[in-house]
Amino acid sequence: PKDINTNEEEELIKKAMDDALDQLSDQKEKKASESQQKASDKMKDMAKKLNSLSQKSSQQEQEDMATLRLLLEQLVTFSLQQEGLLSDLKNTNPQDPKYINIGQEQRKLKDKISVIDDSLTALAKRQIMISGIINKEVQTINRSIENSIKNLTERKKSDATKNQQIVMMHTNELGLLLSEIMEKMQQNMP
C-alpha cells in the first residue's frame, strides 16, 4: 500500500474555504473569491498528486500482468514436458538404459519449477491475490518431484509414476489458479 499523506494539503484547503466563508459573511466578496481560488488551486494540485500515484500503480499492475502471463506460459510448457516424461516412464522398463535419462529429465524439470517458484514468490510480494494457496501448490509439486526422483533412483517405477501424476495434477491446478488471478486482475484494471 502506498502512503498517501494529504493531511497538510487538506488542512490548507479547509483553512482557505473557512477564510472564504468568513469573508463572505463580512461582505468581502473580492477576498472571498481569492480564498476560493486558492482552495481550488490546492485541490487541483492534490488531484494531480493522487492521479500520479494511480498511474504508477496502474503501470505496476500491467508489469505484474505481463509477468503472470509469462509464468503461466512457462507453467504450461513445464506441464507438457512433465506429461511427456510420464508417458516415457510408463513405456520404459526399469532395466532399460533410457530409464536413467528419465531421471535426468526429471531433475531438469525440478530446476525449471524452481525458477517458476522464485518468480511467483517475487510476484506474490507485490500482488495480494497471489496467496498461500499458490505457495501450497508449488510446495506439493516440489515435494512430488523430489519423491519422483528418489523413486526413479531406487527404480520404483510405479511410485515414481504416481509422483509424476501428482506433479501433473498440481501443475495444472496451479495453472488454473494463475489464469483465474489474471482474469481478476484484467477486470480490476481501468
Side-chain angles (χ1 to χ4, degrees), residues 18-48:
D18 288 342
D19 288 348
L21 271 175
D22 291 342
Q23 290 162 352
L24 275 175
S25 64
D26 292 341
Q27 304 295 325
K28 298 179 182 174
E29 293 174 12
K30 187 175 181 183
K31 284 201 171 223
S33 176
E34 289 173 6
S35 293
Q36 286 176 333
Q37 185 62 43
K38 185 177 177 182
S40 173
D41 291 343
K42 295 227 179 277
M43 283 189 238
K44 286 177 185 175
D45 289 344
M46 192 163 68
K48 284 180 185 176

Side-chain angles (χ1 to χ4, degrees), residues 156-172:
K156 295 179 182 176
K157 181 179 173 180
S158 64
D159 290 342
T161 302
K162 287 177 193 172
N163 294 131
Q164 288 184 352
Q165 287 171 337
I166 292 171
V167 169
M168 289 272 311
M169 182 178 75
H170 287 279
T171 299
N172 292 337

Side-chain angles (χ1 to χ4, degrees), residues 1-4 47-65 126-127 185 189-190:
K2 301 285 184 198
D3 182 24
I4 304 173
K48 284 180 185 176
K49 183 178 176 181
L50 292 173
N51 192 28
S52 170
L53 284 172
S54 175
Q55 286 177 345
K56 287 178 184 175
S57 176
S58 179
Q59 280 180 319
Q60 184 66 51
E61 286 279 324
Q62 289 174 346
E63 287 175 20
D64 290 347
M65 279 279 293
R126 294 189 310 266
Q127 285 294 329
M185 285 175 73
M189 288 184 89

